[in-house]
């Protein structure tokens, strides 16, 4: 983490803007350099990658992995946890450097389920309640939860959202797929609509947002207060600004920030690949995927796209 900086009220954003554009928490990818680029392209709130609360609490090395600055606002730090004390302690450590805390109750990965975090919590509202209470008692910044629709019974999804509201969360995010569904399967708009209509706190919708048209359909079919995108923003960080493809200026800014912030080479390469995939030919994509170093990526961008950045 870095210095305490100017923070921005997310609750005021919800009050002032009827539709919020949000960057989802993405493992490895929604880090500082990428979040900062998104601020230029109509993204209102950005989440960090999911962080294990117990590791963050106990390891100074792990805490150094989260960095922010006064251009990275507002930012929501997402934690995965199963113990209220771990989550509360982690929240206290990060609160001066964040605008909100989110509890991940939707990660579908098998390892997370075995660790009793992520989607494991979706059917254990009592455990979620204890953790939300612990966070609310420990910090003064807003707290939210992110869930997925129940695999078989929508009534359980509605009940979890209602209980989250009673717990005191400031907003809820719902992913319109179950933990067993693939990302290519359709989003359940009806599940999101029912969740939204069940509570008075703001509700964000996650899943299937790749274009402004996708966002508009989500709003018209669900009435949510904001939409959250993951893969869509990876492929086109400027999608909420109305760009069909990633502008070269966006790529250039990401390259500059990633180099300045010391982004690992593999993540740097993957981000550029995602951003440029739609404009690259299949032959170029194969060539680009074989580039093994940051200098090689920079040379490719310079020769083929005129993007000039140096180490």
């Amino acid at each position: 983490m870095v210095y305490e900086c100017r923070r921005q009220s997310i609750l005021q954003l919800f009050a002032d803007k009827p539709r919020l554009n949000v960057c989802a928490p993405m493992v490895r990818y929604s880090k500082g350099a990428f979040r900062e680029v998104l601020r230029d392209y109509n993204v209102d709130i950005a989440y960090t990658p999911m962080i294990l609360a117990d590791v963050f609490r106990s390891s100074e090395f792990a805490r150094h992995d989260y960095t922010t600055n006064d251009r990275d606002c507002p930012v929501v730090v997402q934690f995965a946890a199963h113990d209220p004390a771990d989550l509360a302690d982690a929240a206290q450590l990060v609160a001066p450097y964040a605008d909100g805390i989110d509890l991940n109750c939707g990660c579908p990965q098998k390892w997370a389920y075995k660790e009793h975090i992520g989607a494991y919590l979706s059917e254990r509202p009592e455990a979620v309640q204890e953790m939300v209470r612990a966070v609310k008692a420990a910090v003064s910044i807003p707290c939210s939860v992110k869930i997925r629709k129940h695999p078989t019974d929508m009534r359980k999804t509605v009940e979890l959202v209602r209980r989250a509201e009673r717990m005191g969360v400031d907003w809820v995010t719902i992913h319109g797929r179950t933990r067993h569904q693939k990302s290519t399967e359709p989003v359940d708009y009806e599940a999101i609509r029912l969740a939204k209509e069940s509570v008075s706190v703001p509700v964000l919708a996650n899943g299937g947002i790749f274009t402004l048209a996708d966002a508009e359909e989500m709003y018209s079919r669900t009435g949510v207060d904001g939409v959250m995108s993951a893969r869509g923003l990876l492929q086109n960080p400027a999608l909420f600004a109305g760009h069909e493809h990633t502008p070269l200026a966006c790529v250039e800014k990401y390259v500059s920030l990633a180099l300045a912030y010391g982004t690992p080479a593999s993540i740097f390469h993957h981000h550029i690949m995602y951003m440029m995939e739609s404009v690259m030919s299949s032959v170029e994509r194969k060539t680009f995927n074989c580039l093994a170093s940051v200098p090689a990526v920079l040379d490719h961008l310079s020769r083929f796209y005129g993007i000039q950045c140096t180490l």
Side-chain angles (χ1 to χ4, degrees):
M1 294 179 291
V2 294
Y3 54 88
E4 185 172 356
C5 58
R6 173 188 62 83
R7 307 315 320 171
Q8 184 174 354
S9 171
I10 294 177
L11 300 186
Q12 191 61 49
L13 264 179
F14 276 115
D16 292 344
K17 191 173 180 181
R19 294 181 171 187
L20 294 183
N21 305 320
V22 183
C23 169
M26 291 177 272
V27 177
R28 294 183 297 276
Y29 294 118
S30 54
K31 293 191 175 184
F34 185 64
R35 295 196 306 267
E36 191 170 331
V37 169
L38 297 175
R39 310 295 180 177
D40 289 345
Y41 295 96
N42 206 24
V43 167
D44 299 300
I45 302 170
Y47 281 54
T48 67
M50 182 183 77
I51 299 170
L52 298 176
D54 56 348
V55 177
F56 191 87
R57 168 183 175 272
S58 62
S59 169
E60 185 175 352
F61 178 80
R63 292 194 289 275
H64 283 310
D65 193 46
Y66 169 59
T67 59
T68 187
N69 55 46
D70 59 6
R71 298 176 298 280
D72 183 29
C73 297
V75 61
V76 175
V77 177
Q78 188 189 69
F79 285 115
H82 58 78
D83 180 79
D86 285 341
L87 182 58
D89 288 347
Q92 281 187 312
L93 287 167
V94 85
Y97 316 95
D99 304 287
I101 303 294
D102 183 73
L103 175 60
N104 185 315
C105 302
C107 178
Q109 298 185 45
K110 291 181 179 179
W111 71 266
Y113 201 87
K114 289 180 180 178
E115 293 293 324
H116 295 182
I117 60 176
Y120 178 88
L121 297 172
S122 287
E123 294 190 62
R124 290 158 180 86
E126 294 81 7
V128 176
Q129 180 172 331
E130 289 303 311
M131 285 189 280
V132 169
R133 283 178 175 170
V135 172
K136 300 294 281 188
V139 302
S140 59
I141 60 175
C143 173
S144 65
V145 295
K146 186 173 186 290
I147 68 171
R148 285 177 176 263
K149 63 166 283 192
H150 190 274
T152 59
D153 189 348
M154 188 55 210
R155 291 173 298 179
K156 291 187 176 181
T157 302
V158 169
E159 179 57 24
L160 180 59
V161 173
R162 287 175 173 165
R163 291 187 67 155
E165 181 178 39
R166 294 196 296 271
M167 295 167 199
V169 297
D170 295 286
W171 73 91
V172 175
T173 302
I174 177 169
H175 190 125
R177 300 185 184 94
T178 72
R179 74 180 184 92
H180 301 291
Q181 286 183 288
K182 297 179 180 179
S183 60
T184 53
E185 294 184 58
V187 169
D188 188 339
Y189 293 104
E190 181 66 8
I192 296 172
R193 184 187 67 80
L194 288 172
K196 166 59 184 171
E197 292 178 353
S198 300
V199 292
S200 58
V201 295
V203 174
L204 301 177
N206 185 206
I209 305 298
F210 290 89
T211 65
L212 283 182
D214 293 334
E216 182 58 40
E217 182 175 14
M218 181 66 76
Y219 284 122
S220 65
R221 296 181 65 173
T222 66
V224 291
D225 302 279
V227 294
M228 177 183 281
S229 177
R231 291 179 299 129
L233 284 174
L234 275 181
Q235 295 173 9
N236 178 12
L239 82 84
F240 285 126
H243 294 268
E244 293 185 5
H245 304 288
T246 306
L248 289 183
C250 177
V251 178
E252 189 166 16
K253 180 162 185 177
Y254 173 74
V255 170
S256 177
L257 290 171
L259 296 178
Y261 294 165
T263 301
S266 61
I267 296 176
F268 176 79
H269 181 277
H270 289 165
H271 264 300
I272 302 300
M273 183 69 250
Y274 281 123
M275 291 183 196
M276 304 294 288
E277 189 172 20
S278 65
V279 298
M280 287 181 175
S281 67
S282 58
V283 173
E284 184 183 357
R285 284 197 294 271
K286 290 178 182 178
T287 300
F288 190 88
N289 280 333
C290 293
L291 300 179
S293 67
V294 170
V297 172
L298 296 179
D299 180 64
H300 185 97
L301 294 175
S302 175
R303 286 192 298 125
F304 291 96
Y305 298 97
I307 295 175
Q308 303 295 328
C309 290
T310 57
L311 289 168

